[in-house]
Amino acid sequence: MASFISAYLNKTTEAAPLAVFRVFFGLMMFLSIVRFWSNGWIDKLYIQPKLFFSYYGFEWVQPLGVSTYLLFFICGIAAIFVALGYRYKIAIIFFFLSFTYIELMDKTTYLNHYYFVSCISFLMIFLPANAYFSMDAYRDKSKAYQEIPRWTVDSIKLLIGLVYFYAGLAKLNSDWLFEAMPLKIWLPAQYDLPFLGSFMQQQWLHYAFSWGGAAYDLAIPFLLLYKPTRWAAFGLLVFFHIMTRILFPIGMFPYVMIVSALIFFDAGFHNKILKALSTLLRIKGLKTDIGAWNKTYRYKTNLPLVIVGIFFAFQLLFPWRYLGYRNELFWTEEGYRFSWRVMLMEKAGYAQFRIVDKKKGTSFLVDNTDFLSRFQEKQMSTQPDFILQYAQFLGNHFTAQGHQNVAVYVESYVALNGRLSQPYIDPKVNLLQQTDSFEHKNWILEFKDEIKGF
Amino acid sequence: MKHWKLWSLIIFGLLIVACSKDTGNETVPPPNISFDRGAMLVNWADNIIVPSYTSFKTEAESLNTAATIFANDPTETNLHSLRASWAASYISFQKVSMFEIGKAEEVRYRNRLNVYPSNTQKIQNFIATGTYDLALPSTIDAQGFPAIDYLINGLAGTDSEIVSFYSTNSNAQAYKTYLNTLTGTILLLTTTVLDDWNASFRDVFVANTSSSATGSVDKLTNAYIFYFEKSLRAGKVGIPAGVFSQQPLPQNVEALYKKDFSKQLLLTAVKASQDFFNGKYFNNNTTGESFSTYLDFLNSIKNGEDLSSLINAQFNAAEAQANELNNNFALQIETDNTKMLGTYDELQRNVILLKVDMLQALSINVDYVDADGD
C-alpha cells in the first residue's frame, strides 16, 4: 500500500491541463468580479446595508466602506495575473485572500459556488499552475516545466468530483425524490420560457428533473474519469449547467463549472487548446515551451502535499458534521452551509421582533426595513443564526438609544418546501440571553414533519 | 478503440434528438395543467386596476370641483358638499392605493396622497408664506387627503369657524389657494398615473410575464404585500394602536379630524385587498384569474394546504374583528385598545399567510441577486 502511494505520488503528467485550468479559472473569476461590479452589487450588498451578518468566528471580517471597491479591484487584478501566470504565487494568494474576505463579509450572500472558488483557489496556492504557458515560465526559463506531479492535476479533479458527488448525496432525501420539492415550486414559476414554459408546470417534469439531477450529480465524476464516457459526460455537463443557468439565478457558476470540467480531458486535448490560444493571441511558436522541454517540476519539500492532504481530509469530513445535530437539518440549518447543499430547499419566513422593557413591561415592534435590505430580511427570517445576530444588534441599538432593561423577543414563522408556515423560534426566549455557538440552538421550535434521507 | 469518441457523440446526439422529439409531439398541453399568468395580468389591468383608477379619477375631479366651488363661495353648505366629495374620493382611493407600480411608484403616489398624521404646523407655515413645492419628499406630511382633512375638518371646532378661515380670515385667499392646490395635486397625480396606464403601461404590464424580480407578477405581488403589511396593517391599525411604539398613538389614526371615518376607510381597504386577491372585477361580482386561482392551480400540483381558502378565511376574520371597532379609531384606542390590538393580530396573521406561504407558493423573487436556493 505504502509503495503504491509513493509510486502514485512520483507519477508525473503533462503540465498543460493545469495551465489551461489556470487560464480559464483566472478569466472566469475576472469576469465574475466585473459582472458583480457592473451590477452595482458592491454598493448594494456591501456598502448600503446598516449591518452585516458575520460568520461565526469571523466577526472581524467587515466591509471596508468605500475601500470595498479597492478590495474588489485587487481581487480582479489578481484574477488577471492568475490567468496570465504572472507572479503566479503571489497573485493566487492575493486572489484567495481577497475573494475569501469578500465572501466572509456578509453571510447573506452565501453561495456554494463562492465557497467552491475559495476552495479551488486555496488548493491552487500549492499547485505549480504556472509551470507552463505562463508569463512566469516565459520570463524565467528555469521556471518552465513540461511535466508536473500527477497528483496536482488529480487534486483539482478530486475537488470537483467531491462537489458533485456530495451535492448528489444531499439530494437523496424524501422531499427531493418523492415530493419533487423544491423544484415543484421553482419550475412552475418559469412559465415565460419560450417553448419550455408550458412543460415547467407539469409534474412528470418536476420528478424527471429531481431524479435526473440527483443521478447526474452522483454519476458525473465517474463518467468524466472513465475515458469511454468522457465526451458524452462533458456534453451532459454542458447541457445540465446551461439548463440551470436558464432556470435559476446562479450567475457565473454554470460557466465556471463547465470550464473547470475540462481538466478531466487528456493532455493532448489541452495542448490543442493552448495551440489555439497561441494562434489567437499571436504568441509565436509557443515560445513559452522552449524552456520547458522535457523538464519535470519537483516539490522541494513535502509541505504542500501535507497541506493538500489535510485540506482534503477536511473536505471529506466537514459536510458530515450535521450528523452531530439531532434536529431536522433543513429546519435548523445546523451544519448546512459549506456542505455542497445546492438548490435543496425553498424556505420563506417572517420574523417580527419585539423590544421589551423588562422592568416596565412595555414593548414595541421593530420594522425590519429600518435596518435590513430586502435580501437581508429574507435571509434573516429563515435562519436561526441570522435571527440571533440581528436580535443582538437590535438590543445594542435600542440600548444605545437610551432604552433600558431591554429584552428582545421574536415571533417568527417559516414555510419549508411548500409546507404551511409553522412557528419557528420560541417567542418566549429573550434572544439577548442567548449566544451563538456550534451547539444545538434549543430555542428553535420543533419541525412538525419529517424529511428522510441525507 | 478509436471509435469511442464518435459513438459517445452519436449516443449523446440521439439522446437530445429523442428528448426534443418527445417534447415536440406534445403540442398543446391539456388546459387544466397550465396556468395563464398573462390572463391574470390582463384581468388585473383591465378589470380591476384601470377601472379602479378611472373611478377614482372621477371622484378626484368631483373633489377638485367641490373645492373650487367652496373657494369661490365659502359657505357651510359648500363646505358640507366638499366634505362629502372628500369622503367619497378618500374611500375610492383605498381601492387604488395597493397598485404602487409603474408611474405610481415613480411619482410616489401613496406618499403624496395619504401620509398621516399631517404636520399642521408645516401646513400653516406653507399657507402663511405661500412658498412650497409639494413634489419635495419633505412635504408629504403637508398634502393629500390627511392635509385636506385638516383644512376642512380640523381648523376649528365648529363649521362656521372653519368657513371663516376661507372668508373673513385676513389670509383667506392663501387658505383657498392651498386647499385648491391640494385637490388639484391629487387630480393631477391621478391623471398622470391613469393616463400612463391607458397610453402604454397597460400593454407593457400585460406583456411582461417574466418570472424575474422585474416581471409584472413579481412586482405587483411585492407591491401588494408591501401595501398590506405597511400601509394597511401597520399604518391604519398597528401604529395608532401603539404596536410599534411604547404608547398608543391615537393622533396617528387615518382621517383624524373627520373622527368617525377611520373604520370605514379600513374596512374598504380590507375589502379591496380581498377582492384583488380573488380577482373580482371592479364594481361587479365577476371574478377572473387571480392570486386565488393561481394558488389553487399550484396546489393541484403539490397537494398541500388549501392556501387560498385559508387566506380568504383570514381576510374574513380580520374584517369581522374590524367590524367590532368604533367608527372613530382614536376614541377606540383611548377607551379600549385591546380591540384595536385584536384587529392588528388578525391582519398580522394574514401578513404571514401572504408573505410567507403565498410568496413561497408563487416563487416570487424579492430582489435581483444571485442565489442558489438556501
Side-chain angles (χ1 to χ4, degrees):
Chain A
M1 189 66 188
S3 67
F4 174 77
I5 290 174
S6 81
Y8 170 75
L9 291 177
N10 276 322
K11 272 190 187 168
T12 61
T13 184
E14 281 200 55
L18 197 56
V20 169
F21 184 80
R22 187 203 76 232
V23 171
F24 282 144
F25 180 76
L27 277 179
M28 281 292 162
M29 290 306 109
F30 177 70
L31 291 177
S32 298
I33 297 288
V34 169
R35 171 174 176 270
F36 205 93
W37 194 312
S38 61
N39 276 334
W41 287 346
I42 300 176
D43 182 57
K44 182 173 168 179
L45 300 175
Y46 296 118
I47 296 178
Q48 296 270 327
K50 296 194 180 78
L51 83 149
F52 299 94
F53 290 96
S54 304
Y55 290 92
Y56 181 63
F58 290 93
E59 292 79 8
W60 51 276
V61 181
Q62 289 289 327
L64 310 171
V66 184
S67 309
T68 310
Y69 282 100
L70 186 66
L71 189 63
F72 275 84
F73 183 77
I74 291 170
C75 192
I77 295 297
I80 284 287
F81 279 22
V82 167
L84 293 173
Y86 180 70
R87 298 189 188 277
Y88 168 76
K89 199 85 173 191
I90 298 169
I92 190 70
I93 289 173
F94 263 87
F95 178 81
F96 165 71
L97 290 177
S98 56
F99 190 93
T100 306
Y101 189 95
I102 290 167
E103 193 195 341
L104 291 174
M105 288 193 301
D106 187 354
K107 64 186 172 193
T108 306
T109 54
Y110 172 79
L111 279 187
N112 282 291
H113 98 248
Y114 294 156
Y115 177 51
F116 174 71
V117 168
S118 278
C119 288
I120 284 277
S121 56
F122 177 78
L123 181 58
M124 283 174 72
I125 293 174
F126 307 98
L127 305 183
N130 59 339
Y132 196 71
F133 200 72
S134 72
M135 293 287 285
D136 287 345
Y138 176 70
R139 281 155 29 103
D140 181 353
K141 300 285 177 280
S142 70
K143 284 186 183 162
Y145 302 92
Q146 194 187 7
E147 297 264 317
I148 52 175
R150 177 166 164 189
W151 68 262
T152 60
V153 178
D154 286 351
S155 67
I156 302 260
K157 293 182 194 171
L158 177 60
L159 184 58
I160 294 172
L162 199 108
V163 170
Y164 278 118
F165 191 74
Y166 273 22
L169 278 184
K171 289 184 173 69
L172 301 182
N173 67 71
S174 53
D175 268 18
W176 184 273
L177 295 175
F178 303 129
E179 309 293 333
M181 276 291 180
L183 292 183
K184 248 186 206 174
I185 292 175
W186 288 338
L187 295 182
Q190 300 296 331
Y191 52 83
D192 60 322
L193 285 181
F195 178 69
L196 285 171
S198 63
F199 299 102
M200 291 297 152
Q201 315 205 13
Q202 298 181 24
Q203 289 209 39
W204 65 264
L205 188 97
H206 308 149
Y207 283 97
F209 274 29
S210 288
W211 285 75
Y216 164 85
D217 277 342
L218 289 169
I220 200 78
F222 305 104
L223 297 177
L224 284 168
L225 282 170
Y226 186 51
K227 194 169 179 179
T229 53
R230 192 169 295 151
W231 271 100
F234 187 70
L236 193 63
L237 181 141
V238 171
F239 172 76
F240 177 84
H241 283 296
I242 296 291
M243 280 307 285
T244 61
R245 177 71 192 89
I246 294 170
L247 293 173
F248 307 114
I250 48 179
M252 296 287 293
F253 185 55
Y255 309 117
V256 173
M257 288 315 270
I258 288 171
V259 297
S260 297
L262 290 174
I263 190 107
F264 284 91
F265 286 97
D266 293 335
F269 177 73
H270 288 93
N271 278 320
K272 276 184 207 155
I273 294 179
L274 292 182
K275 202 170 267 175
L277 271 180
S278 304
T279 320
L280 195 73
L281 302 171
R282 302 181 187 214
I283 302 171
K284 270 191 219 139
L286 271 182
K287 263 188 196 167
T288 55
D289 295 359
I290 297 166
W293 196 244
N294 273 341
K295 270 167 62 193
T296 302
Y297 180 87
R298 295 284 178 200
Y299 282 96
K300 293 184 193 78
T301 71
N302 273 333
L303 189 64
L305 185 62
V306 172
I307 293 173
V308 169
I310 294 170
F311 170 75
F312 275 105
F314 174 83
Q315 285 299 331
L316 280 169
L317 295 175
F318 198 57
W320 297 102
R321 71 189 184 284
Y322 81 95
L323 292 172
Y325 299 98
R326 180 179 57 86
N327 301 64
E328 173 51 47
L329 171 68
F330 286 5
W331 186 248
T332 65
E333 299 201 32
E334 290 167 329
Y336 190 86
R337 292 182 206 114
F338 308 111
S339 306
W340 315 119
R341 299 177 191 282
V342 190
M343 316 286 307
L344 271 188
M345 57 180 187
E346 166 61 39
K347 239 178 161 183
Y350 185 88
Q352 176 76 74
F353 290 81
R354 180 181 291 279
I355 309 295
V356 176
D357 183 326
K358 281 183 285 188
K359 281 236 174 87
K360 288 191 205 150
T362 56
S363 70
F364 60 93
L365 298 182
V366 175
D367 183 349
N368 292 331
T369 52
D370 287 347
F371 304 101
L372 303 177
S373 70
R374 293 187 80 164
F375 185 41
Q376 284 180 316
E377 187 183 3
K378 178 183 158 70
Q379 298 286 50
M380 179 276 294
S381 54
T382 61
Q383 298 174 66
D385 54 337
F386 281 70
I387 290 177
L388 181 62
Q389 202 178 333
Y390 180 53
Q392 303 196 332
F393 166 85
L394 291 174
N396 293 336
H397 173 85
F398 286 107
T399 305
Q401 272 202 348
H403 294 268
Q404 285 172 344
N405 307 306
V406 170
V408 180
Y409 296 88
V410 68
E411 188 195 353
S412 62
Y413 296 84
V414 164
L416 173 61
N417 280 352
R419 293 171 180 84
L420 198 64
S421 55
Q422 300 172 18
Y424 191 50
I425 301 294
D426 189 341
K428 294 185 203 75
V429 168
N430 177 6
L431 292 171
L432 287 191
Q433 287 175 343
Q434 306 301 321
T435 46
D436 202 1
S437 73
F438 283 120
E439 275 173 42
H440 170 58
K441 298 173 173 60
N442 51 21
W443 36 269
I444 305 172
L445 295 172
E446 211 56 41
F447 179 54
K448 295 180 200 128
D449 201 350
E450 194 187 358
I451 302 170
K452 295 192 179 67
F454 282 99
Chain B
M1 274 312 275
K2 258 268 155 196
H3 299 300
W4 60 264
K5 212 187 271 186
L6 183 70
W7 275 115
S8 52
L9 266 180
I10 288 171
I11 289 166
F12 181 67
L14 282 176
L15 207 73
I16 297 257
V17 172
C19 284
S20 31
K21 211 170 182 188
D22 232 18
T23 48
N25 283 341
E26 218 171 325
T27 42
V28 189
N32 62 330
I33 63 164
S34 176
F35 182 83
D36 186 353
R37 281 99 176 152
M40 179 165 77
L41 291 175
V42 168
N43 184 43
W44 284 351
D46 295 353
N47 301 323
I48 304 174
I49 300 175
V50 173
S52 300
Y53 273 118
T54 309
S55 164
F56 175 54
K57 191 191 161 191
T58 311
E59 299 289 351
E61 278 165 348
S62 310
L63 172 64
N64 196 41
T65 310
T68 310
I69 292 171
F70 174 68
N72 291 338
D73 182 15
T75 63
E76 284 189 42
T77 317
N78 285 341
L79 177 64
H80 292 157
S81 63
L82 170 57
R83 280 175 181 164
S85 276
W86 172 82
S89 53
Y90 209 174
I91 288 281
S92 180
F93 167 73
Q94 305 295 329
K95 299 171 188 171
V96 299
S97 184
M98 66 189 117
F99 308 126
E100 186 110 338
I101 57 167
K103 202 53 135 186
E105 189 182 8
E106 195 182 311
V107 301
R108 300 171 289 115
Y109 190 67
R110 194 188 306 129
N111 273 349
R112 301 285 305 271
L113 265 64
N114 197 23
V115 166
Y116 50 92
S118 278
N119 185 334
T120 54
Q121 212 160 11
K122 201 181 273 180
I123 294 172
Q124 289 292 0
N125 187 36
F126 284 170
I127 292 170
T129 61
T131 48
Y132 45 83
D133 177 1
L134 294 181
L136 291 177
S138 59
T139 64
I140 53 173
D141 55 358
Q143 58 178 311
F145 287 104
I148 301 174
D149 181 24
Y150 171 65
L151 288 179
I152 63 177
N153 294 310
L155 283 173
T158 65
D159 289 359
S160 62
E161 282 176 280
I162 292 173
V163 170
S164 72
F165 276 89
Y166 300 88
S167 51
T168 55
N169 187 294
S170 60
N171 211 7
Q173 190 52 47
Y175 276 92
K176 291 180 197 175
T177 309
Y178 198 68
L179 177 66
N180 281 325
T181 309
L182 294 185
T183 58
T185 305
I186 291 177
L187 179 57
L188 180 69
L189 289 169
T190 306
T191 308
T192 309
V193 172
L194 179 59
D195 284 356
D196 190 52
W197 273 96
N198 284 329
S200 57
F201 189 65
R202 183 264 175 208
D203 293 337
V204 175
F205 175 80
V206 166
N208 189 359
T209 56
S210 147
S211 62
S212 67
T214 53
S216 294
V217 174
D218 290 39
K219 285 204 83 156
L220 192 58
T221 306
N222 280 323
Y224 171 78
I225 291 177
F226 184 87
Y227 164 79
F228 190 82
E229 185 184 5
K230 304 285 174 193
S231 297
L232 201 161
R233 175 204 65 141
K236 293 183 199 301
V237 184
I239 292 172
V243 168
F244 299 93
S245 52
Q246 287 182 310
Q247 287 87 34
L249 304 167
Q251 70 277 18
N252 281 23
V253 297
E254 198 171 19
L256 174 68
Y257 303 100
K258 180 71 175 76
K259 290 195 171 73
D260 55 355
F261 196 40
S262 29
K263 176 179 170 180
Q264 207 184 333
L265 293 173
L266 172 68
L267 288 173
T268 308
V270 172
K271 180 80 166 45
S273 308
Q274 186 171 11
D275 286 348
F276 182 71
F277 177 81
N278 290 317
K280 191 170 149 308
Y281 289 18
F282 180 78
N283 269 359
N284 180 335
N285 271 329
T286 322
T287 57
E289 299 292 17
S290 63
F291 287 134
S292 175
T293 59
Y294 192 3
L295 287 172
D296 289 343
F297 162 72
L298 291 170
N299 203 32
S300 70
I301 296 178
K302 66 175 183 156
N303 297 316
E305 301 278 345
D306 186 351
L307 202 49
S308 64
S309 302
L310 288 173
I311 291 173
N312 267 316
Q314 195 53 47
F315 268 119
N316 295 339
E319 192 188 356
Q321 187 70 37
N323 262 318
E324 300 281 305
L325 298 171
N326 192 298
N327 284 336
N328 180 346
F329 281 1
L331 196 65
Q332 179 71 55
I333 291 164
E334 279 154 6
T335 53
D336 180 9
N337 197 24
T338 52
K339 280 189 181 165
M340 207 59 185
L341 294 171
T343 307
Y344 174 84
D345 288 343
E346 296 296 350
L347 291 168
Q348 169 69 3
R349 286 194 187 106
N350 226 11
V351 168
I352 291 155
L353 288 171
L354 293 171
K355 203 174 175 180
V356 180
D357 296 288
M358 182 170 96
L359 275 192
Q360 170 165 92
L362 302 185
S363 196
I364 298 285
N365 300 296
V366 298
D367 209 342
Y368 173 59
V369 275
D370 286 351
D372 64 359
D374 312 276

